[in-house]
Amino acid sequence: MASSCSTKTDLAYQRCINPTCGHTLSVDQAAFACPECGDLLDVVYDWDRVEVPRRLSDFEAKWSDRLNPLSFSGVWRFRELLPFAPPDQVVTIGEGQTLLQVADKVGQYVGMDAGRLMLQYEGMNPSGSFKDNGMTAAFTHARMVGAKRVACASTGNTSAALSVFCSATSFGFKAIIFIGSGKIAYGKLAQALDHGALTIQIVGDFDDAMHRVRQVADRLGIYLMNSVNPFRLEGQKTIMYRVLEALAWQPPDWIVVPGGNLGNSSAFGKAFIELKHLGLIDRVPRLAVINATGAQTLDQLVNANGVTWNNGLPDAEVTQAYYDHLDAEHLKASTIASAIEINRPVNLKKCLRALDFCDGLVRQVSDQEIMDAKARVGAGGIGCEPASAASVAGAKRLREEGIIAPSDRVVCILTAHQLKDPTATVAYHGTDQENFEKILGSRGVRRAGFANRPISVANDLDDIIRTIALYSEPNA
Ligand SMILES: *Cc1c(COP(=O)(O)O)cnc(C)c1O
Ligand SMILES: [Zn+2]
């Protein structure tokens, strides 16, 4: 693969995260892995030469500049903190208009004091998930390097975002998506098909699709849009900037996020490392990354095997032994939270760095806990898909363990929209027992404790009126 060492005087460049390698590339290259050692790449900035606002509140000036698409975007209004692209190369579709909402009903479920649990709702993005934050940055980089064909492996939301960015822009991008067979929620598949992506369903799961798309991208020179792409993580840093913005620039005590491929948690860590380095925050929130039971690699490596960042040299043998064990036992990731149904998280190392810097921790929650939390999130006013609810289930767990205090300020990231996966929701609330067994019971979900059952009534006015009288007490 072509590799030219850039001069380190560039404002932005790419650098291998392995400290014993440290190979650098310029930002006009598309590599997706270190050409020397194969490790992950970071986008790095020479902050001494970047003009960064003196205080985070200086970013408020962008609010009155909303007719400029770069200031309207919830990603690019923080462009001084991801300065890798010439402004005229930015590819934006208005992503990142998202909401941080105090959610007291959900907070009560989690065990928090009033006003202390907040939901960062990334379902408001154009494609309905947080992935748009990363896509706008990666598409900008693709444009910078002249790429036209762009590909990803996906459990659904990455491919949805990719498809939307290709179809909503006119720079000639063609979307190619790889999905595992039967492994994608209908809402997400519908998006890829509707937006015109070349959709390749391979026999296998996400980890298989990921393996293949890397090979194909390498062989055909196609631009890779998975979160091994370090530019995606630059865009996803801004989720944290918007959380801070919504809290008048005061860091919360906790950020709780679901962990799949670990791109988000990695990006959040990088955001805080940089903000601290720049003196823009004086306190760093703690980070909790939540796996689903059935896809708990991070939890196993960190909590059962003691793997840590270790100054950039995490114990590779322990990790390899864990993967060998998965292979030997033919263990495939399996959870109702399909967006985090991943056993080989590509950003593992970067996530370990984030956990190290943010005094972080990891938990796994069951499909039962996820579905119950999801129902409470829905009843609290904002719908989300199962994977998103892992954050709320994780916060509840950490409250019960006494690690999160009721008075802490906790931000749970709701990664995607409720309508992404209606199958799981209808199975949980519906009255069709067979359907419940097939979708949820088979995964060990025993109760739909918070089900809001539809009620069947004869087509008879008196019956209907009686039923309404029986069931329509106003909420307390
Ligand atoms: C992609 C995704 C995740 C996992 O995020 P990672 O960055 O891969 O850890 C979680 N929830 C939803 C809804 C997603 O689409
Ligand atoms: Zn390297």
Side-chain angles (χ1 to χ4, degrees):
M1 190 180 296
S3 81
S4 72
C5 275
S6 70
T7 55
K8 285 227 172 169
T9 54
D10 288 352
L11 214 60
Y13 55 98
Q14 305 180 70
R15 187 175 65 202
C16 174
I17 71 163
N18 182 342
T20 65
C21 173
H23 185 74
T24 64
L25 300 167
S26 81
V27 286
D28 15 85
Q29 289 178 280
F32 315 119
C34 173
E36 292 295 319
C37 75
D39 216 325
L40 294 166
L41 296 168
D42 260 336
V43 181
V44 185
Y45 305 100
D46 184 353
W47 290 116
D48 292 341
R49 297 172 49 237
V50 180
E51 272 183 51
V52 176
R54 301 261 307 277
R55 292 173 307 268
L56 283 173
S57 57
D58 291 351
F59 282 106
E60 292 168 15
K62 304 282 174 59
W63 297 347
S64 58
D65 185 35
R66 287 171 63 83
L67 291 183
N68 172 1
L70 261 69
S71 298
F72 177 76
S73 164
V75 171
W76 297 103
R77 74 168 172 264
F78 299 103
R79 54 194 173 273
E80 289 84 355
L81 296 174
L82 51 152
F84 68 84
D88 65 355
Q89 294 294 300
V90 166
V91 178
T92 173
I93 61 170
E95 59 288 325
Q97 310 301 319
T98 63
L99 178 74
L100 183 80
Q101 193 182 68
V102 174
D104 278 345
K105 287 187 205 165
V106 183
Q108 221 167 32
Y109 174 66
V110 169
M112 303 298 299
D113 292 347
R116 294 296 163 156
L117 184 87
M118 287 155 278
L119 301 175
Q120 173 68 16
Y121 185 46
E122 291 295 315
M124 288 171 77
N125 274 292
S127 84
S129 86
F130 78 82
K131 299 292 197 300
D132 293 356
N133 294 284
M135 283 299 159
T136 184
F139 270 82
T140 296
H141 183 246
R143 191 178 169 197
M144 286 166 63
V145 302
K148 293 293 182 208
R149 290 192 296 180
V150 295
C152 70
S154 181
T155 62
N157 283 330
T158 302
S159 58
L162 181 76
S163 310
V164 167
F165 269 84
C166 284
S167 54
T169 57
S170 40
F171 303 115
F173 290 118
K174 175 67 190 176
I176 305 171
I177 65 162
F178 285 62
I179 55 182
S181 49
K183 287 289 188 180
I184 180 168
Y186 261 21
K188 306 173 190 183
L189 180 59
Q191 288 179 290
L193 299 176
D194 230 9
H195 297 300
L198 171 61
T199 304
I200 299 180
Q201 258 179 310
I202 68 163
V203 179
D205 65 3
F206 173 82
D207 295 307
D208 299 320
M210 185 71 227
H211 180 65
R212 289 299 180 201
V213 78
R214 290 178 93 147
Q215 290 178 316
V216 169
D218 216 32
R219 184 82 67 86
L220 301 181
I222 295 173
Y223 188 92
L224 189 60
M225 286 286 182
N226 280 100
S227 56
V228 286
N229 180 326
F231 294 91
R232 256 193 56 192
L233 303 196
E234 291 308 293
Q236 288 169 216
K237 292 190 307 193
T238 65
I239 300 169
M240 290 300 100
Y241 307 153
R242 295 198 297 276
V243 165
L244 293 172
E245 182 180 50
L247 295 173
W249 313 107
Q250 294 304 309
D253 298 301
W254 289 92
I255 301 288
V256 190
V257 62
N261 244 339
L262 307 178
N264 244 357
S265 46
S266 298
F268 297 175
K270 189 169 189 282
F272 290 120
I273 290 170
E274 292 172 348
L275 289 176
K276 190 83 198 315
H277 172 79
L278 291 166
L280 291 170
I281 51 172
D282 47 22
R283 203 169 49 79
V284 174
R286 293 190 69 185
L287 181 67
V289 184
I290 312 300
N291 274 168
T293 300
Q296 71 272 33
T297 295
L298 182 70
D299 174 66
Q300 288 300 300
L301 292 178
V302 169
N303 293 326
N305 291 287
V307 175
T308 64
W309 168 239
N310 190 29
N311 295 314
L313 297 170
D315 194 329
E317 278 172 31
V318 174
T319 306
Q320 192 53 51
Y322 182 75
Y323 291 151
D324 290 346
H325 153 78
L326 292 179
D327 288 341
E329 306 288 325
H330 302 290
L331 291 172
K332 295 284 185 186
S334 176
T335 164
I336 190 68
S338 58
I340 53 175
E341 192 176 41
I342 294 172
N343 261 349
R344 293 172 190 262
V346 297
N347 287 297
L348 172 66
K349 269 199 188 180
K350 287 184 177 177
C351 177
L352 293 171
R353 177 174 67 187
L355 292 168
D356 183 71
F357 186 77
C358 301
D359 190 13
L361 46 75
V362 182
R363 289 292 181 273
Q364 56 166 298
V365 291
S366 68
D367 283 2
Q368 178 81 58
E369 290 171 276
I370 286 172
M371 289 309 295
D372 286 341
K374 184 179 118 52
R376 296 325 291 162
V377 169
I382 296 179
C384 68
E385 69 163 272
S388 310
S391 61
V392 171
K396 180 170 163 50
R397 181 74 76 78
L398 291 166
R399 254 306 291 128
E400 284 161 7
E401 290 180 20
I403 293 173
I404 289 179
S407 58
D408 284 351
R409 296 209 304 171
V410 177
V411 173
C412 291
I413 312 298
L414 292 187
T415 43
H417 199 280
Q418 172 185 44
L419 298 178
K420 290 283 193 173
D421 187 359
T423 308
T425 307
V426 172
Y428 185 91
H429 291 288
T431 50
D432 182 341
Q433 192 58 28
E434 209 175 305
N435 193 46
F436 178 88
E437 280 308 322
K438 184 175 120 215
I439 309 288
L440 297 171
S442 61
R443 298 183 176 281
V445 179
R446 294 281 161 257
R447 312 169 302 282
F450 302 106
N452 174 31
R453 307 253 181 246
I455 298 159
S456 303
V457 190
N459 185 10
D460 175 282
L461 185 58
D462 288 338
D463 260 5
I464 294 170
I465 287 172
R466 256 196 308 278
T467 306
I468 290 173
L470 206 57
Y471 288 102
S472 64
E473 284 295 306
N475 285 331

